[in-house]
Amino acid sequence: MTLPSTYADRNCSLARTLEVVGERWTLLIIRDAFFGVRRFGDFVAQLKIPRAVLTSRLKSLVQEGVLVREDDASGGVEYRLTAKGEALWPVLRALMSWGDTFYSPAGAKRAFRHDEDGGLLDHEGRCQDCGSTVPVPQIRLEPGPGFEPEGPEGDAVSSAINTPRRLLQPITAPRPIPAGRGELS
Amino acid sequence: MTLPSTYADRNCSLARTLEVVGERWTLLIIRDAFFGVRRFGDFVAQLKIPRAVLTSRLKSLVQEGVLVREDDASGGVEYRLTAKGEALWPVLRALMSWGDTFYSPAGAKRAFRHDEDGGLLDHEGRCQDCGSTVPVPQIRLEPGPGFEPEGPEGDAVSSAINTPRRLLQPITAPRPIPAGRGELS
DNA sequence: AGCAGTAGTTCAGTCACTGAACCAGACATG
DNA sequence: CATGTCTGGTTCAGTGACTGAACTACTGCT
């Protein structure tokens, strides 16, 4: 967003935060990261974001410590949320919740559950069964009542995202597996 | 933000929400609205936003039902949050809270209290005294421990914002009062 | 060598934002 | 009525950001 970098109001943490996550695409990238997307190509496929923009956003998110970039076992590159990045979960939850409330008459497009006991989470992220605030890695994501199934052409990454699974759990798109890649022959 | 208007992922309420509040400046305008700013000129002065951009953002926020535009008693124009706009408070709180956590080592730049009983609000917006989730109009805003006072040149609108007061309470910048404007002679 | 997959870079075209100047209506004053 | 001020805008040239498509570079397989 780069409001002129010398914020008009340096007493506003909102402006400071928007410097980091307020640019176009940035929060969608972070959302995908929560949903398990880790690879450059998967972000491109899932978001249809121009590659140059993705490069730039990933770079600045890494610089800000929201993501880490690391080489994975198979020689590829992975982008993962740091603790600082995971701390953005309440932001995403609030944004999604507002959108569900005002733009999804049939109900939330995605539901979140406490994976340990199956309890639904309220919009403050609390488990309605056990009452605790559920840590991000224990949240299970699944299609909600307002979910609209897409055409049958869904790509691998999308359908992985739309299947019940825990947040942060890496999406393993069908990709040559380095160790045992011969299992299909 | 206008992601190509046909969202890559129409099942994401996040994308839908960002269509409405994701553009540059928009959330800062809404923050100011929560803090009591209502007039075109005050937004310009407080945010140092280009007037053309402000015009465009106000127009689309009104169109989306986040703000209402109405003529006030003295013939001026006022922009006010609707209920839909007030529902964005958790979003702002989450963004500010994240910024405070990671970019304000001396503590939150602004503190929020339950004006009825003086209790501090936690980052979920609950009063630590009475335990209730405090409705927006009952929240009192005041400088927090991380607040950095500005130079003495602070304009009227800023100093009003930085003085303890309730959210949504209109800022009355020193402005010719239609009835008795002669008080300075 | 040839091929495919991944993670980028480059580049022309378009669009949005910036900052400063200008405009118009309402009201007041002389 | 002419003048000035306040407010809420609009206009416009210059700059920067985003878009989409093509291209590059590195890796590993066959």
Side-chain angles (χ1 to χ4, degrees):
Chain A
M1 189 167 253
T2 18
L3 306 175
S5 115
T6 148
Y7 326 128
D9 184 354
R10 75 178 150 311
N11 273 311
C12 189
S13 287
L14 178 62
R16 189 68 189 80
T17 299
L18 292 178
E19 289 284 333
V20 181
V21 300
E23 280 172 311
R24 196 166 165 168
W25 293 109
T26 303
L27 281 169
L28 293 173
I29 292 167
I30 292 169
R31 177 205 69 148
D32 270 21
F34 273 105
F35 288 2
V37 177
R38 292 187 171 183
R39 311 196 59 133
F40 189 94
D42 290 344
F43 284 109
V44 171
Q46 172 67 17
L47 296 173
K48 276 130 194 128
I49 180 179
R51 307 167 81 84
V53 176
L54 180 59
T55 301
S56 146
R57 294 294 184 279
L58 290 173
K59 207 166 284 179
S60 73
L61 286 172
V62 167
Q63 202 164 11
E64 287 289 344
V66 171
L67 298 177
V68 270
R69 192 197 118 116
E70 44 192 43
D71 301 348
D72 75 356
S74 68
V77 176
E78 281 192 356
Y79 293 92
R80 268 204 285 232
L81 287 166
T82 61
K84 185 174 172 182
E86 284 186 31
L88 283 167
W89 180 244
V91 170
L92 293 193
R93 201 185 49 225
L95 287 162
M96 287 191 265
S97 171
W98 190 83
D100 281 336
T101 302
F102 294 98
Y103 296 97
S104 185
K109 295 199 182 297
R110 295 173 193 280
F112 301 102
R113 284 184 188 280
H114 191 180
D115 201 31
E116 318 289 294
D117 60 16
L120 260 180
L121 304 199
D122 63 22
H123 31 248
E124 281 165 342
R126 245 183 258 278
C127 173
Q128 290 184 335
D129 276 19
C130 68
S132 68
T133 296
V134 179
V136 170
Q138 286 174 26
I139 296 175
R140 188 169 76 239
L141 166 74
E142 53 188 46
F147 184 83
E148 304 163 17
E150 324 191 12
E153 29 51 74
D155 60 296
V157 178
S158 302
S159 41
I161 278 185
N162 296 331
T163 301
R165 39 201 299 293
R166 286 194 185 203
L167 290 186
L168 302 180
Q169 209 158 52
I171 283 175
T172 49
R175 174 194 328 282
I177 299 139
R181 73 148 32 116
E183 84 280 9
L184 60 77
S185 80
Chain B
M1 191 168 249
T2 21
L3 304 174
S5 114
T6 151
Y7 327 126
D9 184 354
R10 76 177 150 313
N11 274 310
C12 189
S13 287
L14 178 63
R16 190 68 190 80
T17 299
L18 292 178
E19 290 283 333
V20 181
V21 299
E23 281 172 310
R24 193 163 164 171
W25 294 109
T26 303
L27 281 169
L28 294 174
I29 291 167
I30 292 169
R31 177 206 69 149
D32 270 21
F34 272 105
F35 288 3
V37 177
R38 292 185 172 184
R39 312 196 57 134
F40 188 93
D42 290 345
F43 284 111
V44 171
Q46 171 67 18
L47 295 174
K48 274 129 196 137
I49 179 179
R51 307 167 79 85
V53 177
L54 181 59
T55 300
S56 145
R57 294 294 184 278
L58 290 173
K59 207 166 282 180
S60 74
L61 286 172
V62 168
Q63 203 164 13
E64 286 290 344
V66 171
L67 297 178
V68 270
R69 191 197 120 116
E70 45 193 42
D71 300 347
D72 75 355
S74 68
V77 176
E78 282 192 356
Y79 292 92
R80 269 203 286 233
L81 287 166
T82 61
K84 185 172 172 182
E86 282 186 32
L88 283 166
W89 180 243
V91 169
L92 294 194
R93 201 184 50 225
L95 287 162
M96 289 190 263
S97 170
W98 190 82
D100 281 336
T101 302
F102 294 99
Y103 296 97
S104 184
K109 296 200 182 296
R110 296 173 194 278
F112 301 101
R113 286 185 187 278
H114 190 180
D115 200 31
E116 318 289 295
D117 60 15
L120 261 179
L121 304 198
D122 62 22
H123 33 250
E124 281 165 341
R126 245 183 259 277
C127 173
Q128 291 184 336
D129 276 19
C130 68
S132 68
T133 296
V134 180
V136 169
Q138 287 175 24
I139 296 176
R140 188 168 76 240
L141 166 73
E142 52 188 45
F147 184 82
E148 304 163 19
E150 325 193 11
E153 30 51 76
D155 62 294
V157 179
S158 302
S159 41
I161 278 186
N162 295 331
T163 301
R165 40 202 298 293
R166 286 194 184 202
L167 290 186
L168 302 180
Q169 210 159 51
I171 282 177
T172 50
R175 174 194 328 282
I177 299 138
R181 78 137 36 104
E183 81 281 7
L184 59 77
S185 82

